[in-house]
Amino acid sequence: MTETAGTGRDTEAVSRFVESFAAQLVEAGMQRMPARIFAALLSSDEGALTSAELGEQLQVSPAAVSGAVRYLAQQHMVAREREPGSRRERYRVHSNQWYEALTNREAVIKRWEGALREGVTSLGPQTPAGRRMAETLAFFEFVDDEIAAMMERWRVHRDRTFGRG
């Protein structure tokens, strides 16, 4: 077993987990490097690592880390923070990263709804294309309502399971 000094972790097992979970994220549609970075951050005890730490752990360049973190930040899955007294940045996975990611998707759905409403108006609601557009709009309105209700149920469940925090 390979351990990191004082942590009691099997670094090889952690590496296997990171690559395995990243592969699952890639299969679901995430880009490979952001998936690896996210899995590494998620599996770190502090939930935060520097670019150098990520590069060393994943054997990738600083440029690869930078691009992946930029993508993850845009998806609201990680945040950048400065180390006190340093110019170095640490990248932190949100404690509620899935909530943040879904909330971000909710904003995208709202924009799609606006565009679809415009499409229904411009195509005419009685045309075949307008009806198809209206059905698509109704689907996204339904999904939007369901996500909001689901997220509220999640907050209650999370608080009951893990306590307020």
Side-chain angles (χ1 to χ4, degrees), residues 10-67:
D10 178 342
T11 56
E12 290 176 16
V14 171
S15 181
R16 283 191 304 274
F17 163 76
V18 166
E19 296 305 328
S20 174
F21 188 56
Q24 294 298 317
L25 294 171
V26 167
E27 193 169 312
M30 187 183 280
Q31 299 167 8
R32 179 170 153 63
M33 190 54 61
R36 293 181 73 213
I37 298 289
F38 182 73
L41 288 169
L42 192 62
S43 66
S44 70
D45 283 340
E46 291 183 29
L49 296 166
T50 66
S51 179
E53 290 167 334
L54 285 163
E56 181 181 331
Q57 179 180 342
L58 300 173
Q59 297 296 295
V60 297
S61 71
V65 171
S66 178

Side-chain angles (χ1 to χ4, degrees), residues 12 15 21 38 48 63 90-91 94 97 100 105 107 133 154:
E12 290 176 16
S15 181
F21 188 56
F38 182 73
R90 290 178 63 81
Y91 308 114
H94 292 294
Q97 70 275 356
E100 292 290 333
R105 294 293 181 258
M133 195 77 54
W154 163 247

Side-chain angles (χ1 to χ4, degrees), residues 109-119 137:
I109 289 171
K110 287 283 190 207
R111 290 195 303 270
W112 290 350
E113 287 174 10
L116 289 164
R117 275 190 199 85
E118 186 178 316
L137 171 59

